[in-house]
């Protein structure tokens, strides 16, 4: 056994680890009730569940996430400010659909308009922000398209800031790209979740009060965003995000879920909640490789203590399916001799899921391994000889 550890390949399966690889799952049985859906891990960007996510679809007011992103980029760049005062024009007041009830002659700050954009999905607020930022909405739409190209969203096309259909033209994205955009926004401007947390907008000076259009926030523990959308062409759409630490199941991760093209408000809410509940039940953070736990031990006859524990050089944690098993294989270097210094590599650990390698790490000694003195080495040599003779007899 010692010789095998020294020369050979040590392969074993850790059956107790119930983990999941990085591939998306099969159908969930809801595919006939919407155009597409997606569940993704915010931290890594990995997709966990998906259906029809690369087909460009009409996105309606989900467009306002890109509007928010472009405006926030301009604020960060210093060309506009949250405190800028914007005067409402007749053109802004005339914008139809879901609105912030902006009236000609009113003066609102960019921050107030962002509230109208993100909380009550005001098309008029989107138009006001677009004109303030770029001069015209057409120029702002080009900014949106340029930002999409910058992010690598090649299937995205924007014609306006609100998502309203303009003749035959409508804003489109793939569901995968909506996920990538949403993830980028939360990373770059996490204050977007502060807008989503507002459940009622009260502005007595405007004689205005309205509830947030974002469902599940305040209803499902941990859900804290993000954006709705609806047109006849797009159907009912919802981008949600949930901080699992605050959920009923708990967990150290954030998910983004998307449903596109549901039939009505109730379907949108129910299918979004189903995806969230299903995913929290199915997935969890697991430590696949723990650098603080010895992986195996090797025999080094020239060492003061010939049995030496070895450890992975680094830990590996993954948001993963709770019922998935992983295979671990280690290759121990041949001809190991003492002395060794803490941190020296003695082999390689490879981790596999569904026959695909997902991680490689060095196997190292965590403490110095001094060489045995001459007397100990002679004794071991004699023991080896007698052991060999005994096997022959």
């Amino acid at each position: 056994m010692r010789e095998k550890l020294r020369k050979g390949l040590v392969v074993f399966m850790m059956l107790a680890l119930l983990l999941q690889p990085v591939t998306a799952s099969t159908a969930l049985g809801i595919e006939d009730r919407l155009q597409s859906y997606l569940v993704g891990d915010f931290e890594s960007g990995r997709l966990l569940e998906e259906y029809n996510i690369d087909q460009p679809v009409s996105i309606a007011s989900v467009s306002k996430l890109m509007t928010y992103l472009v405006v926030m980029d301009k604020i960060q760049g210093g060309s506009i400010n949250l405190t800028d005062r914007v005067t409402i024009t007749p053109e802004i007041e005339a914008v139809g659909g879901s609105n912030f009830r902006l009236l000609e002659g009113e003066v609102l700050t960019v921050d107030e308009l962002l509230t109208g954009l993100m909380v009550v999905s005001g098309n008029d607020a989107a138009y006001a922000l677009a004109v303030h930022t770029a001069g015209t909405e057409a120029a702002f739409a080009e900014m949106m398209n340029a930002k999409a190209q910058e992010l690598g969203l090649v299937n995205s096309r924007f014609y306006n800031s609100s998502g309203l259909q303009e003749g035959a033209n409508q804003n489109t994205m793939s569901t995968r790209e909506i996920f990538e955009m949403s993830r980028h926004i939360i990373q770059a401007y996490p204050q977007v979740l502060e807008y989503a947390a507002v459940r009622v907008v009260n502005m007595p000076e405007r004689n205005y009060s309205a509830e947030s259009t974002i469902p599940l926030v305040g209803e499902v523990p941990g859900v804290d965003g993000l954006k709705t959308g609806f047109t006849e062409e797009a159907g009912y759409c919802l981008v949600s995000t949930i901080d699992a630490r605050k959920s009923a199941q708990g967990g150290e991760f954030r998910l983004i879920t998307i449903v596109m093209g549901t039939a009505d408000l109730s379907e949108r809410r129910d299918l979004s909640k189903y995806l969230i509940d299903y995913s929290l039940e199915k997935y969890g953070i697991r430590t696949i490789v723990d650098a603080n736990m010895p992986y195996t031990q090797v025999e080094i006859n020239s060492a003061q203590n010939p049995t030496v524990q070895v450890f992975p050089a680094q830990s590996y944690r993954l948001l993963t399916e709770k019922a998935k098993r992983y295979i671990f294989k280690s290759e121990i270097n041949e001809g190991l001799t003492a002395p060794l210094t803490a941190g020296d590599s003695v082999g390689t650990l490879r981790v596999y899921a569904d026959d695909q390698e997902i991680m490689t790490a060095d196997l190292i000694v965590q403490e110095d391994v001094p060489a045995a003195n001459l007397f100990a080495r002679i004794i071991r040599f004699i023991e080896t000889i007698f052991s060999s003779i005994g096997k022959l007899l």
Side-chain angles (χ1 to χ4, degrees), residues 15-31:
L15 298 175
L17 285 175
L18 302 177
L19 302 163
Q20 183 250 326
V22 299
T23 57
S25 74
T26 55
L28 302 182
I30 61 173
E31 290 72 22

Side-chain angles (χ1 to χ4, degrees), residues 5 28 42 47 53 62 93 99 108 112 114 118 136 139 145 174 178 193 201 211 218 220 224 249 252 293 361 365 378:
L5 284 169
L28 302 182
F42 167 74
L47 304 187
I53 64 170
V62 173
E93 180 181 346
N99 64 65
L108 285 83
E112 289 171 329
L114 284 171
M118 297 303 295
T136 67
N145 288 315
S174 71
I178 295 171
L193 301 178
V201 179
E211 293 184 356
V220 177
D224 51 9
Q249 290 88 343
E252 300 175 27
M293 295 291 292
V365 293
I378 291 172

Side-chain angles (χ1 to χ4, degrees), residues 187-260:
Q187 288 173 328
Y189 304 111
Q191 57 267 48
V192 69
L193 301 178
E194 297 175 11
Y195 290 105
V198 176
R199 305 317 300 149
V200 178
V201 179
N202 284 309
M203 302 180 73
E205 69 281 8
R206 299 185 58 228
N207 193 30
Y208 178 85
S209 180
E211 293 184 356
S212 171
T213 62
I214 307 173
L216 303 183
V217 178
E219 302 174 42
V220 177
V223 174
D224 51 9
L226 191 59
K227 190 69 192 75
T228 56
F230 168 73
T231 62
E232 291 294 337
E233 177 67 24
Y236 290 84
C237 311
L238 176 59
V239 181
S240 297
T241 182
I242 181 166
D243 182 349
R245 292 172 299 180
K246 301 176 183 178
S247 71
Q249 290 88 343
E252 300 175 27
F253 57 93
R254 174 180 289 278
L255 297 177
I256 295 173
T257 68
I258 302 170
V259 297
M260 301 296 291

Side-chain angles (χ1 to χ4, degrees), residues 130-369:
V131 172
H132 179 70
T133 301
T136 67
E137 185 165 48
F140 187 82
E142 288 309 308
M143 290 181 178
M144 297 170 77
N145 288 315
K147 188 64 181 181
Q149 290 299 309
E150 177 189 326
L151 296 176
L153 310 181
V154 298
N155 291 316
S156 298
R157 179 62 181 163
F158 296 95
Y159 295 93
N160 57 46
S161 59
S162 63
L164 285 170
Q165 188 162 342
E166 295 185 356
N169 297 326
Q170 54 191 331
N171 295 348
T172 56
M173 299 181 75
S174 71
T175 305
R176 184 192 299 271
E177 291 180 340
I178 295 171
F179 169 73
E180 292 169 357
M181 174 183 67
S182 302
R183 180 170 176 253
H184 174 79
I185 290 170
I186 299 171
Q187 288 173 328
Y189 304 111
Q191 57 267 48
V192 69
L193 301 178
E194 297 175 11
Y195 290 105
V198 176
R199 305 317 300 149
V200 178
V201 179
N202 284 309
M203 302 180 73
E205 69 281 8
R206 299 185 58 228
N207 193 30
Y208 178 85
S209 180
E211 293 184 356
S212 171
T213 62
I214 307 173
L216 303 183
V217 178
E219 302 174 42
V220 177
V223 174
D224 51 9
L226 191 59
K227 190 69 192 75
T228 56
F230 168 73
T231 62
E232 291 294 337
E233 177 67 24
Y236 290 84
C237 311
L238 176 59
V239 181
S240 297
T241 182
I242 181 166
D243 182 349
R245 292 172 299 180
K246 301 176 183 178
S247 71
Q249 290 88 343
E252 300 175 27
F253 57 93
R254 174 180 289 278
L255 297 177
I256 295 173
T257 68
I258 302 170
V259 297
M260 301 296 291
T262 66
D264 53 42
L265 287 168
S266 177
E267 280 278 85
R268 180 173 71 181
R269 181 192 181 282
D270 292 347
L271 292 177
S272 294
K273 186 175 185 301
Y274 171 79
L275 279 181
I276 289 169
D277 291 343
Y278 175 88
S279 300
L280 291 176
E281 180 69 24
K282 182 175 181 180
Y283 297 97
I285 292 286
R286 293 291 183 272
T287 299
I288 297 178
V289 175
D290 189 344
N292 296 313
M293 295 291 292
Y295 174 76
T296 187
Q297 60 187 29
V298 296
E299 297 294 324
I300 305 177
N301 283 334
S302 61
Q304 181 175 300
N305 182 351
T307 302
V308 179
Q309 288 186 328
V310 297
F311 297 76
Q314 68 266 358
S315 296
Y316 184 49
R317 286 167 59 81
L318 180 68
L319 177 61
T320 179
E321 191 175 329
K322 297 173 184 177
K324 189 68 184 182
R325 294 171 179 170
Y326 280 79
I327 294 175
F328 296 74
K329 300 180 180 180
S330 63
E331 301 166 358
I332 304 301
N333 299 340
E334 295 187 10
L336 292 174
T337 59
L340 295 172
T341 302
D344 283 351
S345 175
V346 298
T348 303
L349 173 64
R350 303 182 188 278
V351 184
Y352 295 84
D354 296 335
D355 298 324
Q356 292 188 347
E357 183 179 304
I358 64 166
M359 182 216 177
T360 301
D362 284 340
L363 289 171
I364 63 171
V365 293
Q366 288 192 344
E367 299 177 351
D368 291 345
V369 179

Side-chain angles (χ1 to χ4, degrees), residues 103-134:
L103 301 176
E104 179 185 354
E106 283 189 298
V107 179
L108 285 83
T109 66
V110 167
D111 187 34
E112 289 171 329
L113 290 172
L114 284 171
T115 297
L117 178 83
M118 297 303 295
V119 181
V120 299
S121 198
N123 295 328
D124 48 0
Y127 187 88
L129 287 165
V131 172
H132 179 70
T133 301

